[in-house]
Amino acid sequence: MRRQQNRAILLVTHHFAPESGAPQRRWGALAGHLVPAGYPLTVLTPPPHSPSGKITHFSPDYRPGSVRSGSHGEKIIRVNYREHSHGLGSRAADQVVAAVSSVLRGVRPAAGRPAVVIATVPGIPSVVAGWALARWHRARFVVEMRDAWPDLIAPSGILRRRGRKLGLRRGARDLVARVVHRTVTRLQARADLVVTTTAAFAEVLRSRGVRNVAVVRNGTAFEPVRENAPVVVTDRPLRVVYAGTVGRSQGLDVAVRAAALVQERGHALDVRIVGHGNELEPLRLLADELGAPVRVEPSVPSTEVRALYAWADTVMVSLRDWEPFEWTVPSKLYEVMASGVTASACLAGEAASLVTANGAGAVVRPGDVEGLADLWCGWLSDGVVPAASTDAATWVAEHASDAVLGHRYTELLDELLPHPLVGHAGRGARY
C-alpha cells in the first residue's frame, strides 16, 4: 500500500508567459503536459519585461507579489525585477534582483512545499536561487540548461566588452568568468538531475563529472506551410527569410554580406530579417552601406510567422562560429524543419548534423559569406530551390514535438520521485 505522493514542482525562471520567446514557449508547452499528468506546478518569475527590459503588461495580475493561475492550471507568483537596458551589467542586475526575490517568495506559504525545484537558464542567478530553495524545502533539485552556459561567456566576449567600459583589467575579467563557470559547474554537479536540450552538451557535462544528465529538446507545434516540392525561381528574385532573435549570437551579418555578393554577381534576391534584438540597427546600417537587397524589419506576432515562411523560398537559421554552439541546436531549427521550407543553415556540430541527416536543407559553415553566396547563386543559376525532405518534419514529430517532450519530462520526474511505501519517509535531497 502506498501513501499519497508529493509531486509538486517549483519552477524558478526569468522568462514566462505572456512574454514570447523560446524559453517562454517551452515552459508553456511543458506546463500543459505536466499539470494534467499530476505534477502541480508553481512558477516564480518576474513581471513580463523581455526583451525591452521594461514591463510590458500593466495589469495587477503581473505585479510583483501577485499570485494567479496560468492557462494550464499552474500557479504563477510574480517576483521583483529591475528595469534594464541591453547592457550586460544592467541585465545581470535584473537577474540577480529576480533571483533574490524568488528565494524570499519561494519560502513563503504561497509557494507550497515542492518535491522538486527546477531552475532554468537563461538567467544564471536563477540556478543559485533554485539550489537555495531546494535546500530549504529538502526537495529534489533539477538544473535546466537551455544553452551552453557558462561556456558561452568566453567566446561571446560579453565580459571583455563590458569590463572595458567599467575599467576592469583583463585579470579581473578572467577571474569573474572563472568564478561564474566554477559556480554553475558545481551546482550542476550537486543537482539530482541536469536537463539539457542537446545530446552534444549532455556529453560535455558528463565528461565534467556531472552524474545525472538527460536530454529534453526544445520543441515545436509548427505545422507544414507547403508540400515538400522544389520551388522555381527562374522569373523572380530568390526569397530568403530569417525570423527570430537578432543578436550577436546569430551572426546575421553573414546574410547581409552574402546578399550583397549575390547581387554583385548579377542575381536577384529579396532577403528579409524579421525580429528583435541588439543587432537590428547595425544590420540595417550594414545593408545600407553595402547596398544589399536586405529588409530589416521589427518582429511580428507568432501567428504571422507562418505567412513569412509561406512567402519564403528558403528560411535561414544561423549561429556564430563559437565552439559552444557546436553543442547547441537553436529552437528555430525545429520550427523550420517542421515547416517543410528548405533551410539555409549556417550551423555546425549537432545542429548541422540534424539538417544534413534529415534532408532539411543546405549547410554552410558559420560565418562563411562566400559559401552562403555560392549556395544562393547556385539555386538561382539552376532556377530552382531543392525541396526539403519529408524526413525533416517526421524527425521533429518523433523527437521534438511538444507531446513527445512533455512525456519525456514526465518520465524523468517519475524516476526522480519514486513512489514511497507507507511509513517510509523517502530519501531527502542531498547537496
Side-chain angles (χ1 to χ4, degrees), residues 112-315:
R113 189 166 186 82
V116 180
V117 176
I118 301 176
T120 181
V121 176
I124 290 177
S126 297
V127 180
V128 181
W131 171 76
L133 287 168
R135 292 202 64 180
W136 174 270
H137 290 292
R138 295 188 60 78
R140 299 294 189 186
F141 179 40
V142 177
V143 175
E144 184 179 88
M145 304 298 298
R146 289 198 62 260
D147 293 306
W149 294 104
D151 297 82
L152 281 169
I153 291 175
S156 69
I158 53 178
L159 284 180
R160 182 172 62 254
R161 296 191 308 276
R162 184 63 184 174
R164 282 199 296 263
K165 291 181 180 179
L166 295 176
L168 295 179
R169 294 180 181 274
R170 179 177 178 179
R173 300 196 299 267
D174 292 344
L175 176 62
V176 171
R178 287 197 302 270
V179 168
V180 172
H181 198 290
R182 187 175 304 155
T183 299
V184 174
T185 301
R186 285 182 176 177
L187 290 175
Q188 290 168 343
R190 293 182 179 187
D192 294 287
L193 174 67
V194 177
V195 174
T196 73
T197 58
T198 66
F201 192 45
E203 285 303 314
V204 169
L205 294 179
R206 291 187 187 108
S207 72
R208 295 174 181 170
V210 179
R211 55 193 172 90
N212 191 11
V213 185
V215 179
V216 180
R217 294 183 179 273
N218 287 313
T220 184
F222 209 85
E223 297 290 335
V225 300
R226 69 162 63 116
E227 296 294 327
N228 296 78
V231 178
V232 177
V233 290
T234 53
D235 56 352
R236 61 170 176 80
L238 176 71
R239 298 171 181 169
V240 182
V241 157
Y242 172 86
T245 302
V246 183
R248 291 191 73 248
S249 296
Q250 287 69 40
L252 291 169
D253 62 295
V254 67
V256 177
R257 298 181 189 281
L261 192 54
V262 171
Q263 183 172 255
E264 287 177 11
R265 295 177 181 177
H267 294 288
L269 76 167
D270 185 358
V271 180
R272 296 173 67 185
I273 297 175
V274 183
H276 61 81
N278 296 349
E279 294 298 304
L280 275 176
E281 188 58 26
L283 287 175
R284 189 176 289 114
L285 293 173
L286 179 63
D288 289 343
E289 176 188 341
L290 299 177
V294 177
R295 291 182 275 168
V296 182
E297 307 169 12
S299 59
V300 298
S302 58
T303 52
E304 296 181 22
V305 173
R306 290 184 57 81
L308 281 175
Y309 283 16
W311 174 85
D313 302 320
T314 181
V315 178

Side-chain angles (χ1 to χ4, degrees), residues 26 52 72 85 97 115 119 144 155 198 238 257 278 331 347 363 420:
R26 174 182 176 86
S52 67
H72 302 291
S85 65
V97 168
E144 184 179 88
T198 66
L238 176 71
R257 298 181 189 281
N278 296 349
S331 56
L347 301 169
V363 175

Side-chain angles (χ1 to χ4, degrees), residues 25 29 218-224 306 334-335 338-339 396 400-403:
R25 208 205 74 81
N218 287 313
T220 184
F222 209 85
E223 297 290 335
R306 290 184 57 81
Y334 301 128
E335 183 177 285
S339 74
V396 171
S401 68
D402 289 340

